[in-house]
Amino acid sequence: MGEFLSLVPKHHGTDRMISQVKKQMATLREEIEKKKLKQKVGGGLTYYVPKAGAAQVAIVGLTNSGRSSLLRTVTNAQVEVTPYPFGTNIPVPGMLPYEDIQIQLVEVPPIVEGSSEGRADGFMRLGLARNADGIILVVDVSRDPLDDFLTVARELANSRILIAEPEGEVEIQRRGGTGIQFVWEGELDGCSQEEVLALLDGYKIRSALVRVRGRVGLEAVEDAIFGNAVYRPTLVVANKIDLPHGADVMKQLRMATEPLEVVETSTTDWNLVDVLGRKLFTLLGIARIYTKEPGKEPAKTPFVVRSGVTVGELARMIHNDFYDNFRYARLWGTSARFPAEKVGLDRRLEDRTVIQLYT
Ligand SMILES: Nc1nc2c(ncn2[C@@H]2O[C@H](COP(=O)(O)OP(=O)(O)OP(=O)(O)O)[C@@H](O)[C@H]2O)c(=O)[nH]1
Ligand SMILES: [Mg+2]
């Protein structure tokens, strides 16, 4: 990237690109630092949190929004709740029990304005959200929840952690000297083809196959060039709902967070664990599949997969032999049209399916 930068002509038209490349270089340097940190620091005092349970969800928010309180209420974690700001400065994990599975929550130390530029361990803090399977974005309704949301959302967006599912996707295949050729399986949104060409040219991409799926803007083109954008399903938690708050500001919050779901919470709520568990389960698109041997009861512990996984994908996850020697499967429960339905490798599986694989 350094070499690339040295070749880029410096004028008004390339400013944006240069600053982005520099930022990207800083991020990579920071990642190297993180790896070093992981090796050196013992005793659990590290930013690295190994995944556990069905999924890992990062709890992000501004300081004092109630992240520790939330973690304490819904998990076994013994984290300190503090009336003063910046009480948490290392990530704290905890397990949230939901029916027969556990979802891992990780309190991320507070996000601040400038986290995405590295301020206050920003790269590592946002890295926790990037590495998780989903995000809980906590806002404090007793102050300015809209400002809380916009600030955290901006820092996430700057780090290319997308909290809303992208409406489309761009794929760029570089190839030899035939110019830029588009394959349209979608359309541009808020920009013209000329602008896309100018952007690609700015990055010295002059010969490539550009595939456009769904609705995409210029940012999606940039994401395709850098390949660093990730989508993380996100739940907005409007916390401290027991304290006085404005109806207007809540309305604005709901509008600004569209299409994300907003859950109003108070960390003193005794059934918060059930409410949050159900919301996260849906958000993450989790499916529990129970294997069964002939003449026996289904397994007590499910395989946790994403909803819609195929029989073939599941067979591979259990053991390659099940896939290689597959004959058919029998299904019970949600995915079966009738009990003991005989299906092939392509059948998709939903939550609460019992399966017997025949080889
Ligand atoms: N009334 C009310 N107060 C809450 C609620 N949740 C948290 N608090 C209070 O808010 C303050 C901050 O709570 P924490 O859980 O420490 O907040 P945090 O987001 O972890 O903050 P830092 O880790 O310090 O950045 C404490 O005084 C909590 O008692 C809630 O639902 N209702
Ligand atoms: Mg805290």
Side-chain angles (χ1 to χ4, degrees):
M1 288 177 122
E3 201 173 316
F4 171 72
L5 267 190
S6 68
L7 294 170
V8 176
K10 296 179 182 51
H11 55 76
H12 182 63
T14 57
D15 279 353
R16 188 165 134 82
M17 169 190 48
I18 288 171
S19 80
Q20 213 134 20
V21 172
K22 282 185 179 159
K23 220 189 256 176
Q24 182 81 359
M25 285 170 75
T27 312
L28 291 171
R29 278 199 205 98
E30 200 67 26
E31 262 174 34
I32 294 168
E33 288 305 310
K34 183 173 160 188
K35 288 218 175 90
K36 283 186 196 157
L37 195 78
K38 228 162 92 178
Q39 287 165 359
K40 269 189 209 157
V41 186
L45 282 179
T46 151
Y47 260 85
Y48 176 66
V49 182
K51 288 194 181 187
Q56 188 183 69
V57 176
I59 309 178
V60 301
L62 299 187
T63 188
N64 223 40
S65 51
R67 300 177 332 283
S68 296
S69 308
L70 186 70
L71 192 71
R72 263 183 93 108
T73 309
V74 302
T75 75
N76 53 350
Q78 297 296 314
V79 62
E80 205 187 342
V81 169
T82 58
Y84 51 84
F86 301 103
T88 310
N89 54 22
I90 54 159
V92 188
M95 300 304 287
L96 177 150
Y98 174 74
E99 294 183 351
D100 55 357
I101 59 167
Q102 304 224 336
I103 299 170
Q104 184 186 39
L105 304 187
V106 179
E107 179 183 358
V108 176
I111 298 300
V112 297
E113 223 177 301
S115 286
S116 57
E117 275 138 41
R119 206 175 143 209
D121 283 348
F123 293 128
M124 287 193 272
R125 292 182 186 182
L126 288 161
L128 288 166
R130 172 176 283 272
N131 287 335
D133 303 302
I135 294 173
I136 293 176
L137 199 166
V138 184
V139 302
D140 180 344
V141 303
S142 72
R143 47 191 192 206
D144 183 351
L146 189 63
D147 181 65
D148 274 32
F149 173 76
L150 294 176
T151 305
V152 177
R154 193 182 329 111
E155 298 303 330
L156 288 166
N158 286 347
S159 324
R160 300 318 292 146
I161 300 169
L162 314 179
I163 59 176
E165 197 167 3
E167 287 177 64
E169 182 189 22
V170 178
E171 196 187 307
I172 300 172
Q173 277 169 275
R174 310 272 198 126
R175 53 175 197 181
T178 45
I180 301 286
Q181 197 188 333
F182 286 93
V183 179
W184 297 104
E185 292 165 14
E187 56 185 350
L188 295 177
D189 183 18
C191 64
S192 66
Q193 192 167 325
E194 287 66 44
E195 285 173 288
V196 173
L197 286 171
L199 182 70
L200 291 171
D201 193 65
Y203 290 107
K204 290 201 191 306
I205 300 173
R206 290 175 188 143
S207 187
L209 198 66
V210 179
R211 198 180 292 272
V212 174
R213 289 192 198 92
R215 293 173 68 80
V216 303
L218 274 185
E219 275 201 323
V221 180
E222 247 172 6
D223 286 339
I225 296 169
F226 284 108
N228 66 343
V230 291
Y231 162 58
R232 296 292 174 247
T234 299
L235 184 69
V236 178
V237 164
N239 191 36
K240 308 195 191 182
I241 204 74
D242 55 299
L243 295 179
H245 57 275
D248 271 4
V249 84
M250 288 305 289
K251 214 168 121 190
Q252 287 169 356
L253 177 70
R254 284 187 186 276
M255 273 163 64
T257 52
E258 281 278 339
L260 305 183
E261 192 182 354
V262 181
V263 200
E264 297 180 359
T265 66
S266 165
T267 54
T268 52
D269 186 356
W270 61 271
N271 71 353
L272 192 54
V273 60
D274 293 334
V275 174
L276 202 63
R278 201 169 322 114
K279 297 277 183 203
L280 289 177
F281 188 85
T282 314
L283 177 82
L284 296 164
I286 293 173
R288 291 161 296 180
I289 314 290
Y290 305 83
T291 54
K292 174 179 155 30
E293 288 178 45
K296 290 191 185 164
E297 288 295 303
K300 289 262 177 304
T301 323
F303 272 90
V304 176
V305 295
R306 97 193 121 69
S307 181
V309 73
T310 63
V311 169
E313 287 168 322
L314 179 80
R316 262 195 222 281
M317 277 180 227
I318 299 172
H319 197 287
N320 265 336
D321 284 352
F322 279 108
Y323 184 83
D324 294 339
N325 306 320
F326 181 86
R327 281 169 54 220
Y328 61 92
R330 284 195 189 278
L331 302 183
W332 290 262
T334 328
S335 313
R337 291 188 187 118
F338 49 86
E341 187 193 358
K342 203 169 157 176
V343 298
L345 286 171
D346 295 336
R347 173 59 72 83
R348 296 196 174 276
L349 303 173
E350 304 302 329
D351 185 37
R352 287 180 200 265
T353 298
V354 173
I355 189 168
Q356 195 167 314
L357 294 162
Y358 291 85
T359 56

